[in-house]
Amino acid sequence: MFSEYFEDWEVKTEYSKEFVSLWSGWLGKENYHKLDEVTENEWSRFNDLLRRLAEDFSFEVVNCELQSLTEVRDINSVLSSYEESMNKDASKFTKLVIPELGCVISEEWDYTYIIWHKNNGAVEALTPYIKAASLESFHD
């Protein structure tokens, strides 16, 4: 149910954020150059993460315009290629719900995904997958 997770186009404010990135924290101005140095192989870790998760969890893709969630039967159908990802605007960023964990995973700027959760064990359940994909997670 869309309204369980979203209000308009935004994840509801009662959800906490866990950031998933290539780095273990925010880069800071002195390291912004690293954003321009990300290789296709490094970027592909995010697709690797979602493929790993799809082996054990079901996904629903979010359509904010229609305020709907649709079951994802093949995770590859919602993944972007490196080229597509480099050229899309925020309105095209992928948002996925993992119903079993009651969380949302959203693609964001600067090689970051956000896990939106209610401190219900979702982050702990996802951490081994994040590590296996050679990604890092952190929160503010």
Side-chain angles (χ1 to χ4, degrees), residues 19 21-27 135-139:
F19 302 97
S21 179
L22 296 170
W23 304 281
S24 60
W26 300 118
L27 287 178
L135 292 167
E136 303 287 337
S137 67
F138 60 95
H139 54 274

Side-chain angles (χ1 to χ4, degrees), residues 35-136:
L35 295 170
D36 296 326
E37 299 167 359
V38 173
T39 66
E40 183 173 353
N41 184 49
E42 290 170 317
W43 171 87
S44 70
R45 294 177 192 171
F46 294 101
N47 281 351
D48 183 42
L49 170 64
L50 296 176
R51 285 185 185 107
R52 288 173 185 272
L53 290 171
E55 292 175 6
D56 294 328
F57 300 100
S58 62
F59 281 103
E60 294 175 342
V61 66
V62 177
N63 183 323
C64 290
E65 285 183 35
L66 299 176
Q67 296 190 353
S68 67
L69 305 175
T70 304
E71 181 183 359
V72 175
R73 297 186 189 275
D74 175 13
I75 192 63
N76 292 307
S77 69
V78 297
L79 299 180
S80 297
S81 70
Y82 178 73
E83 287 298 319
E84 291 167 337
S85 182
M86 296 302 112
N87 295 308
K88 66 181 169 181
D89 63 45
S91 68
K92 303 289 186 207
F93 284 171
T94 304
K95 291 182 178 80
L96 299 164
V97 169
I98 302 178
E100 295 109 301
L101 300 177
C103 69
V104 175
I105 298 178
S106 63
E107 180 181 10
E108 303 291 334
W109 294 107
D110 297 338
Y111 308 105
T112 303
Y113 276 45
I114 299 175
I115 300 169
W116 302 83
H117 62 97
K118 289 187 173 182
N119 298 309
N120 59 357
V123 171
E124 293 78 5
L126 297 176
T127 296
Y129 298 89
I130 295 166
K131 298 289 183 206
S134 298
L135 292 167
E136 303 287 337

